[in-house]
Amino acid sequence: MQRRELGAGGPQVPVVGMGTWQTLDVPEGRDDVVTAALDAGSTFVDSSPMYGEAERVLGDALGDRRDEALVATKVWTPDDAEAERQVQRALGWYGGRVDLYQVHNLVGWRKRLTLLERERDRGTVVAIGATHYSPSAFGELAEVMRTGRISAIQIPYNPHERDVEREILPLAEELGLGVVVMRPLGGGRLVARAPDAADLEPLRAFGVETWAQALLKWVLSDPRCHVAIPATSRPGRMRENAAAGAPPWFDDDARALVARLAGARL
Ligand SMILES: NC(=O)c1ccc[n+]([C@@H]2O[C@H](COP(=O)([O-])OP(=O)(O)OC[C@H]3O[C@@H](n4cnc5c(N)ncnc54)[C@H](OP(=O)(O)O)[C@@H]3O)[C@@H](O)[C@H]2O)c1
């Protein structure tokens, strides 16, 4: 598993981490997937109070392996008192420390950044970030990036969602910000139907065995991206995804091939 610096001076993160939207929103827990992620080196895990039970389930599953992980979560509310509660709950679940605390969907971002800065001063939050899934919010995201108050962003990037190439990725590079990539598999839509094995043949030289790995390598072959966070409910798929986190990375031709194959998937 390759590791990259999450922004200038930021922590070293494994290039394949794990998301938790839907997959960890399960009352009975999902220790097997979290254990598979940690064992495979996908130790960067992302959650949010927006994901139902996921934050709690993740904390439970990490258990006494909490210190092996870099935990990213989010604050997501327009209400100040609820924001405080979300942060205190998360700190309770994650052993008193969140490694990357993000403002989810930029909700109330000025006040939320002040709250997270206070926690950072207390030593309970290591790095602060902001996330948005929609290109319609990328103008505001760029404004937040330029404040100098965050060190990482989380954005969608896959062969079907390339809007970040216009302004967000160049700006992140210019400002030295870390980039966490959500929806690397297109929310599951891109992997629902894999290309034929023959179509993937030219990618085998890059260590690709499956279509999901091809999509992850497509993201990670852009050096401006530091960690992709595919979500899965299946331990075997977690191991498969983690295996995409090692070089060699795609050249321009291989990247173009994956984009062409992805274009035929919808
Ligand atoms: N901040 C935001 O606004 C925001 C928005 C969206 C997402 N996110 C974050 O980004 C993470 C990832 O995004 P996402 O969950 O929307 O989508 P994703 O990771 O692109 O795709 C997840 C889907 O792909 C399937 N999958 C995973 N690995 C696979 C494999 N190797 N082969 C075949 N199918 C596979 C999963 O199904 P199975 O469970 O059946 O494997 C799941 O349905 C989220 O979990 C969340 O942490 C943030």
Side-chain angles (χ1 to χ4, degrees):
M1 177 72 70
Q2 189 175 84
R3 296 179 86 83
R4 294 182 187 170
E5 193 175 67
L6 188 67
Q12 294 281 327
V13 293
V15 289
V16 178
M18 186 178 78
T20 61
W21 181 51
Q22 294 181 319
T23 52
L24 262 61
D25 185 11
V26 285
E28 69 276 17
R30 192 146 272 157
D31 294 12
D32 53 352
V33 176
V34 176
T35 298
L38 294 178
D39 289 349
S42 288
T43 52
F44 182 93
V45 284
D46 174 77
S47 196
S48 169
M50 188 198 256
Y51 307 160
E53 296 292 310
E55 278 192 299
R56 180 188 59 77
V57 166
L58 176 63
D60 283 353
L62 288 171
D64 59 12
R65 297 182 72 180
R66 163 64 184 93
D67 284 345
E68 292 177 41
L70 289 158
V71 174
T73 194
K74 312 186 189 86
V75 57
W76 174 66
T77 174
D79 182 88
D80 295 348
E82 171 58 15
E84 294 273 358
R85 284 194 292 272
Q86 288 182 359
V87 170
Q88 294 313 316
R89 273 199 300 265
L91 290 173
W93 286 318
Y94 303 129
R97 185 182 84 251
V98 168
D99 300 284
L100 173 63
Y101 225 125
Q102 306 154 104
V103 181
H104 200 149
N105 289 353
L106 308 180
V107 178
W109 62 265
R110 287 181 181 81
K111 287 205 278 186
R112 297 304 157 254
L113 288 181
T114 302
L115 167 64
L116 297 179
E117 286 162 350
R118 190 197 71 202
E119 292 296 334
R120 188 181 55 195
D121 291 346
R122 283 187 183 154
T124 55
V125 166
V126 181
I128 297 173
T131 84
H132 213 291
Y133 68 94
S134 172
S136 65
F138 287 170
E140 192 178 3
L141 179 60
E143 184 188 343
V144 179
M145 292 163 75
R146 288 197 179 92
T147 62
R149 299 176 75 181
I150 61 171
S151 61
I153 55 169
Q154 182 181 143
I155 43 82
Y157 191 39
N158 62 61
H160 278 164
E161 295 180 278
R162 303 183 66 161
D163 306 79
V164 290
E165 289 176 346
R166 216 169 22 251
E167 181 186 8
I168 297 297
L169 287 178
L171 183 60
E173 185 177 36
E174 180 193 321
L175 297 173
L177 299 185
V179 174
V180 180
V181 176
M182 66 168 88
R183 300 172 51 77
L185 308 175
R189 285 176 79 209
L190 280 173
V191 269
R193 208 162 45 89
D196 294 338
D199 288 331
L200 297 181
E201 194 52 46
L203 303 176
R204 296 207 189 283
F206 297 93
V208 165
E209 290 172 8
T210 70
W211 178 227
Q213 291 175 341
L215 291 165
L216 292 169
K217 282 222 166 184
W218 183 91
V219 169
L220 296 169
S221 297
D222 185 327
R224 298 171 297 188
C225 299
H226 304 114
V227 49
I229 49 168
T232 180
S233 50
R234 311 182 200 203
R237 284 185 172 173
M238 188 59 247
R239 287 186 282 273
E240 172 191 340
N241 295 343
W249 305 110
F250 290 160
D251 56 22
D252 291 346
D253 288 346
R255 234 171 159 246
L257 171 63
V258 173
R260 265 201 314 282
L261 292 170
R265 308 266 55 85
L266 292 182

